[in-house]
């Protein structure tokens, strides 16, 4: 470790903390905290981008840091908090797997991601190429978050954290995507969250719940089992 | 064996034996202050030990020799552990006998004997406490081993004095892996020493206790030895933590007598800070249900493995 410049050490610390935050998201039961963790992840991403921009002197990274700040640290968490208040959903139901098992699965996924990223890192020429494995692990862990949750809200948070992981991966592999792509992705995420926000209201109106299991049932089945979709779920 | 090594070794054993009850007293005092109660004296553990040693020992009917032997085994194991943890100096002749992994085994031996003795009497509470202790133990041990492996990987050895020396003498850097394992180690320390999120050391409410339930049948000198051993265990865990995460100030192989004596006040300072921190953790957290203990220790394990993986990937 001695001899490694301090900014690279800080970048490594950011990468490690990103990985830790993904695990925290995996273990979190409350949706409000999940959104706060997402904001924190955005803030870490912002730190990492700024450090990298300062280290490499690439001007476009400052722009993308600004984009991260505006979108991922401020706007999206605010929007999600507003949605939580409007929809009155503060708790996720118990996740499909119990939490220790999910964590152990997460560990296995991290090992897999690190192994997968090893050859890519070996080919890379950037100073941060070692972090590619962490970015890949963050993406896969967000996948697990989405898979093990029932509620639409937590799935959206998982989706956004996956985007954070991709962004971090692009940053560590090639010092960021071209500006056009970055703006496109940012716009996509923004629109996706807005549209999904509308979806939440529609889903709840239809089923009285944000539990996505109701979407898996066929109409006739639901009608036969509970006398219409509206009565099948009591919790929100 | 040089005389300097012998002095270091003896000083360390004697000071661990002498200071362990004081450390418990200090933690209890901090806890009382934080709970806005009037604090007991820091010397209270010594007084209760003296009182217990002067009483007549009573042994339950039907107790096997194992029950009588256990206090001595547990106390001996903890004393030996104190001898091989580099709390003051790294020049310890006894550490040739046991590295960090053997140390974990030594702690496990004490646990097995304590649990067996608790079951031996055949009372319901003893059995209950022993089972819970084994549950906590089998979850905490892998996490502790992982913590030790990370430090061993960084310093390329499993001997604790060598780990402490190599970590203390290298130039300062940010180690995310060590930060993660420090968190994991703190969680293991809380669980293994029956501190609050897992067990309440002050409780005598039978249904929730783990450690106390195993000592219910002991009295007089046996109880005194068991309590002294528990104090030593906490002291040992604190010193393992210092050796792995804040090794600065330990007198190294190159240091003379001055360095050894300089390490005494430093150790006292570290213990004071650690005791206060322990009291804060215990005050702000609530005791978990027993069935949440696997989750708590699962997190500790995940933290430790993450530290290991981050070290392997980033080399940091």
């Amino acid at each position: 470790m001695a001899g490694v410049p301090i900014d690279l050490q800080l970048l490594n610390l950011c990468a490690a903390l990103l990985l830790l935050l993904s695990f925290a998201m995996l273990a979190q039961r409350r949706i409000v905290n999940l959104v706060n963790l997402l904001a924190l992840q955005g803030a870490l991403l912002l730190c990492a981008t700024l450090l990298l921009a300062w280290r490499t002197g690439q001007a476009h990274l400052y722009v993308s840091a600004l984009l991260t700040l505006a979108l991922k640290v401020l706007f999206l968490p605010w929007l999600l908090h507003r949605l939580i208040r409007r929809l009155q959903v503060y708790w996720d139901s118990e996740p499909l797997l119990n939490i220790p098992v999910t964590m152990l699965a997460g560990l296995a996924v991290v090992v897999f991601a690190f192994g997968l990223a090893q050859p890519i890192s070996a080919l890379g020429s950037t100073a941060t190429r070692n972090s590619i494995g962490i970015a890949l692990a963050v993406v896969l862990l967000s996948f697990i978050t989405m898979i093990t949750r029932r509620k639409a809200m937590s799935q959206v948070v998982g989706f956004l954290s996956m985007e954070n992981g991709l962004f971090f991966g692009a940053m560590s592999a090639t010092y960021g995507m071209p500006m056009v792509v970055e703006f496109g992705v940012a716009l996509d995420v923004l629109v996706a969250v807005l549209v999904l926000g509308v979806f939440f209201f529609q889903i709840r109106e239809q089923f009285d719940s944000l539990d996505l299991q109701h979407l898996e049932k066929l109409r006739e089945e639901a009608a036969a089992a509970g006398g219409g979709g509206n009565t099948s779920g009591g919790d929100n | 064996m040089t005389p300097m090594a012998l002095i270091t070794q003896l000083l360390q054993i004697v000071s661990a034996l002498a200071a362990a009850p004081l450390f418990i007293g200090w933690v209890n005092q901090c806890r009382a202050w934080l709970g806005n109660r009037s604090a007991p004296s820091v010397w209270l553990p010594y007084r209760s030990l003296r009182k217990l040693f002067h009483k007549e020992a009573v042994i339950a009917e039907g107790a096997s020799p194992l029950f009588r032997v256990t206090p001595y085994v547990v106390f001996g194991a903890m004393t030996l552990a104190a001898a091989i943890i580099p709390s003051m100096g790294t020049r310890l002749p006894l550490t040739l006998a046991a590295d960090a992994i053997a140390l974990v085994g030594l702690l496990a031996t004490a646990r097995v004997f304590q649990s067996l003795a608790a079951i031996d009497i055949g009372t319901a509470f003893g059995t209950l406490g022993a089972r819970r202790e084994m549950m906590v133990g089998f979850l905490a041990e892998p996490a502790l081993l992982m913590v030790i492996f990370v430090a061993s990987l960084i310093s390329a050895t499993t001997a604790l004095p060598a780990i402490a020396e190599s970590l203390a003498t290298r130039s300062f850097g940010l180690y995310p892996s060590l930060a993660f394992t420090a968190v994991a180690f703190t969680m293991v320390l809380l669980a293994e020493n029956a501190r609050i999120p897992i067990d309440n050391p002050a409780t005598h409410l039978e249904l929730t206790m783990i450690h106390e339930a195993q000592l219910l049948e002991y009295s007089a000198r046996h109880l005194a030895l068991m309590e002294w051993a528990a104090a030593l265990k906490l002291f040992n865990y604190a010193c393992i933590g210092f050796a792995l995460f804040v090794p600065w100030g330990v007198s190294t192989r190159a240091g003379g007598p001055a360095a050894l004596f300089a390490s005494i006040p430093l150790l006292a300072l570290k213990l004071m800070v650690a005791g206060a921190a322990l009291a804060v953790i215990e005050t702000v957290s609530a005791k978990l249900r027993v069935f949440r203990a696997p989750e708590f220790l699962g997190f500790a394990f995940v933290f430790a493995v993450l530290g290991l993986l981050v070290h392997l990937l980033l080399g940091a």
Side-chain angles (χ1 to χ4, degrees):
Chain A
M1 202 62 196
V4 180
I6 185 77
D7 50 352
L8 202 55
Q9 287 188 25
L10 282 172
L11 265 172
N12 280 341
L13 186 67
C14 278
L17 286 177
L18 270 178
L19 189 61
L20 186 64
L21 272 186
S22 294
F23 270 95
M25 282 179 150
L26 213 52
Q28 191 51 254
R29 286 197 174 95
R30 295 190 65 176
I31 292 182
V32 182
N33 292 349
L34 209 57
V35 174
N36 288 340
L37 285 174
L38 183 75
L40 201 59
Q41 202 182 35
L44 265 176
L45 210 56
L46 175 71
C47 291
T49 318
L50 283 177
L51 274 168
L52 196 65
W54 183 69
R55 186 184 159 76
T56 59
Q58 303 220 11
H60 78 94
L61 278 176
Y62 285 110
V63 182
S64 101
L66 204 66
L67 210 60
T68 306
L69 176 68
L71 201 62
K72 287 170 191 162
V73 185
L74 300 175
F75 181 68
L76 285 180
W78 173 78
L79 189 71
L80 287 171
H81 273 303
R82 217 178 78 119
L83 274 174
I84 290 171
R85 262 202 314 279
R86 293 273 297 275
L87 288 164
Q88 297 284 315
V89 280
Y90 295 103
W91 287 85
D92 200 344
S93 55
E94 283 287 306
L96 293 175
L97 282 171
N98 73 21
I99 286 182
V101 174
T102 320
M103 302 292 264
L104 289 182
L107 277 182
V109 160
V110 172
V111 173
F112 174 71
F114 282 12
L116 204 63
Q118 204 87 58
I120 309 175
S121 311
L123 286 175
S125 57
T126 57
T128 50
R129 60 182 177 277
N130 284 336
S131 311
I132 297 174
I134 287 188
L136 203 56
V138 170
V139 171
L140 291 177
L141 287 173
S142 313
F143 257 131
I144 298 188
T145 315
M146 287 175 77
I147 290 168
T148 53
R149 301 303 166 112
R150 283 208 182 103
K151 294 288 162 69
M153 204 72 182
S154 345
Q155 298 206 350
V156 168
V157 174
F159 168 74
L160 290 173
S161 124
M162 190 159 77
E163 203 274 327
N164 282 349
L166 282 175
F167 183 82
F168 186 66
M171 219 171 70
S172 13
T174 59
Y175 293 149
M177 294 177 264
M179 218 56 246
V180 182
V181 180
E182 224 156 83
F183 274 114
V185 171
L187 192 68
D188 267 357
V189 168
L190 189 62
V191 170
V193 172
L194 288 176
V195 170
L196 285 168
V198 177
F199 264 27
F200 289 159
F201 284 101
Q202 291 291 331
I203 293 171
R204 198 172 63 157
E205 205 163 293
Q206 205 70 35
F207 299 111
D208 272 343
S209 158
L210 279 179
D211 196 329
L212 290 184
Q213 274 196 323
H214 297 303
L215 290 181
E216 292 165 12
K217 287 187 193 131
L218 288 176
R219 203 106 182 93
E220 289 87 349
E221 221 180 301
N230 275 340
T231 53
S232 58
D235 59 331
N236 47 13
Chain B
M1 201 192 312
T2 60
M4 191 61 206
L6 198 66
I7 291 170
T8 314
Q9 186 70 76
L10 282 176
L11 181 69
Q12 218 176 268
I13 296 175
V14 170
S15 63
L17 285 176
L22 185 63
F23 185 49
I24 288 275
W26 167 244
V27 174
N28 285 341
Q29 193 166 51
C30 286
R31 276 180 54 158
W33 282 334
L34 286 167
N36 223 355
R37 286 172 283 136
S38 57
S41 155
V42 279
W43 308 106
L44 186 65
Y46 293 103
R47 280 185 217 147
S48 53
L49 283 182
R50 211 189 95 205
K51 182 187 78 185
L52 286 173
F53 273 119
H54 280 91
K55 286 193 171 182
E56 185 191 355
V58 178
I59 297 242
E61 228 172 280
S64 73
L66 180 88
F67 186 77
R68 284 163 184 273
V69 169
T70 295
Y72 303 100
V73 173
V74 172
F75 187 76
M78 288 306 157
T79 312
L80 183 56
I84 61 180
I85 299 166
S87 56
M88 290 177 179
T90 58
R91 204 166 2 183
L92 303 170
L94 270 179
T95 49
L96 292 175
D99 63 355
I101 297 168
L103 175 69
V104 176
L106 200 61
L107 296 172
T109 312
R111 176 169 41 239
V112 167
F113 268 89
Q114 191 176 326
S115 301
L116 282 179
I119 296 173
D120 184 56
I121 297 296
T123 60
F125 285 128
T127 317
L128 176 144
R131 288 179 179 195
R132 287 181 180 170
E133 172 84 18
M134 290 319 276
M135 181 185 78
V136 170
F138 106 92
L139 291 162
E141 220 161 81
L144 182 58
L145 276 173
M146 279 294 164
V147 169
I148 286 173
F149 287 157
V150 174
S152 307
L153 269 177
I154 289 177
S155 49
T157 166
T158 58
L160 259 182
I163 292 175
E165 190 159 337
S166 109
L167 289 178
T169 50
R170 70 181 50 209
S171 63
F172 186 77
L174 285 173
Y175 286 92
S177 51
L178 278 183
F180 286 3
T181 46
V183 175
F185 180 78
T186 311
M187 293 168 91
V188 170
L189 183 147
L190 291 171
E192 284 272 20
N193 289 288
R195 309 310 293 190
I196 261 189
I198 299 296
D199 185 13
N200 187 352
T203 190
H204 288 280
L205 179 67
E206 287 91 344
L207 288 178
T208 62
M209 58 194 186
I210 300 177
H211 177 74
E212 288 293 323
Q214 297 174 79
L215 308 185
L216 280 178
E217 295 296 325
Y218 277 113
S219 59
R221 58 176 186 277
H222 298 127
L223 183 60
L225 279 179
M226 288 303 252
E227 298 216 322
W228 201 348
L232 261 176
K233 189 175 181 187
L234 183 63
F235 184 89
N236 284 343
Y237 266 88
C239 287
I240 298 175
F242 299 149
L244 296 183
F245 307 114
V246 277
W248 301 287
V250 166
S251 79
T252 53
R253 237 161 257 282
L260 181 62
F261 287 107
S263 71
I264 297 174
L266 251 168
L267 178 68
L269 185 71
K270 285 182 198 170
L271 282 171
M272 274 182 80
V273 173
L278 184 60
V280 169
I281 293 174
E282 284 199 83
T283 308
V284 298
S285 51
K287 189 184 167 304
L288 291 172
R289 283 190 299 147
V290 173
F291 295 111
R292 292 293 281 278
E295 201 169 294
F296 181 82
L297 288 163
F299 284 144
F301 182 70
V302 166
F303 266 108
V305 176
L306 271 185
L308 188 75
L309 290 173
V310 164
H311 172 72
L312 289 178
L313 188 75
L314 298 175

